[in-house]
Amino acid sequence: MEIKTNAIVLKSIDYKDNDKLLTLFSPTLGKITAGIRGVKKPKAKLAFAAQPFCFSEYVLAEKAGRYTVVGAYMHESFYALRTDVERFYAACAAAETCDRILVENEEWEGTFVSFIECLKTLSFTESDPAEALVSFFLSALHESGYPIDLGYLEECDGEIGERLYFDFADGKFSSQERCVQGERASVCTYHILRKCAGLDFDETALSGGRKRALRLLKAYLTQKTETNFENLGEFIRLYEETP
């Protein structure tokens, strides 16, 4: 049986002499593994379909729950990501997160849309890559059942003060008095997260917040998934070196 689905390559690993195994993310099929044959041969027609971030309509042959790519029609290669190492690792961090949080063969349409929008922003705009990545993380965490609660500003009537704490158990910001199992978090981190979530924020309180927000999100993702995020760590390193 053949199936057609739009999908994007999250990961590609070598398999046998000339084949690869792809981790594909489809809005309808979710995360799936599919073999693709002969793509390491010179002039292989489907070589493009095994490249990271390739967004195509894939034709899949399905047998006993296993998929093989037999055709592909490209929508977008996101080739521009390969020309900027910082943005490339930001995209790798987003793909890595999809791979970690998605459950195989379950529909994740909201996360798929957020992922595509993140790659578009990284590829085709000059927007800050950290903000694009933070926006994606907030959406992905919400979809996966680990939302970050950013409502403290409304709860305290806009009077945050100088101290904030983040509760890793509940994914919520609060004052020291309210915090149960939290760690110190900067006010600038909180406002960057609100900005990337499309909420009201204090423009004067953003300095240094992007780097801190990335580190907090990495710690939160690591705790919730019990896995490490190597690509996110590399992006943070590169971003912190940017003047």
Side-chain angles (χ1 to χ4, degrees):
M1 179 177 69
E2 288 191 354
I3 302 170
K4 288 185 179 181
T5 184
N6 289 323
I8 189 162
V9 177
L10 297 180
K11 187 167 61 176
S12 173
I13 61 174
D14 292 341
Y15 180 68
K16 296 184 179 179
D17 291 338
N18 295 301
D19 305 343
K20 285 181 177 287
L21 286 177
L22 308 181
T23 301
L24 297 176
F25 182 14
S26 159
T28 54
L29 300 178
K31 184 176 74 169
I32 61 173
T33 300
I36 185 167
R37 295 171 180 164
V39 289
K40 294 168 66 178
K41 295 179 180 179
K43 299 181 180 179
K45 291 183 178 180
L46 289 178
F48 72 90
Q51 296 300 308
F53 316 122
C54 176
F55 177 34
S56 297
E57 181 185 58
Y58 285 86
V59 182
L60 306 173
E62 189 270 334
K63 184 177 181 181
R66 296 186 178 185
Y67 297 98
T68 302
V69 177
V70 295
Y73 307 92
M74 184 186 290
H75 297 311
E76 177 57 57
S77 68
F78 295 109
Y79 183 80
L81 294 172
R82 295 166 175 78
T83 66
D84 186 313
V85 66
E86 187 176 89
R87 289 177 180 269
F88 176 77
Y89 270 102
C92 288
E96 176 182 57
T97 302
C98 289
D99 190 35
R100 296 284 195 276
I101 67 173
L102 298 179
V103 178
E104 290 214 16
N105 301 307
E106 288 190 10
E107 186 175 322
W108 292 75
E109 187 169 358
T111 302
F112 181 85
V113 172
S114 297
F115 183 44
I116 293 293
E117 290 304 313
C118 178
L119 295 184
K120 286 181 178 178
T121 300
L122 292 171
S123 297
F124 307 130
T125 77
E126 296 183 359
S127 300
D128 188 285
E131 290 192 14
L133 198 51
V134 169
S135 296
F136 167 72
F137 285 149
L138 291 173
S139 175
L141 285 165
H142 178 79
E143 290 285 326
S144 62
Y146 302 117
I148 290 183
D149 187 339
L150 297 171
Y152 182 61
L153 185 67
E154 287 76 19
E155 292 177 12
C156 67
D157 296 323
E159 299 295 328
I160 291 180
E162 297 181 357
R163 288 180 176 269
L164 267 183
Y165 287 78
F166 181 71
D167 193 324
F168 279 83
D170 296 334
K172 187 174 183 177
F173 287 88
S174 65
S175 66
Q176 184 178 9
E177 291 77 13
R178 295 181 179 181
C179 193
V180 179
Q181 299 177 12
E183 296 182 10
R184 181 75 181 272
S186 66
V187 173
C188 62
T189 294
Y190 179 69
H191 281 290
I192 279 290
L193 292 174
R194 284 185 64 93
K195 178 184 179 182
C196 293
L199 302 173
D200 292 337
F201 64 95
D202 184 353
E203 185 74 43
T204 66
L206 299 182
S207 179
R210 296 176 183 87
K211 298 174 183 179
R212 292 187 175 96
L214 287 167
R215 291 196 290 268
L216 182 144
L217 288 169
K218 183 176 185 294
Y220 187 62
L221 282 161
T222 298
Q223 185 189 85
K224 293 304 181 185
T225 63
E226 298 183 344
T227 59
N228 198 12
F229 288 78
E230 295 87 355
N231 288 316
L232 177 53
E234 182 62 16
F235 172 71
I236 292 172
R237 185 189 68 79
L238 291 168
Y239 190 76
E240 288 178 338
E241 292 178 352
T242 303

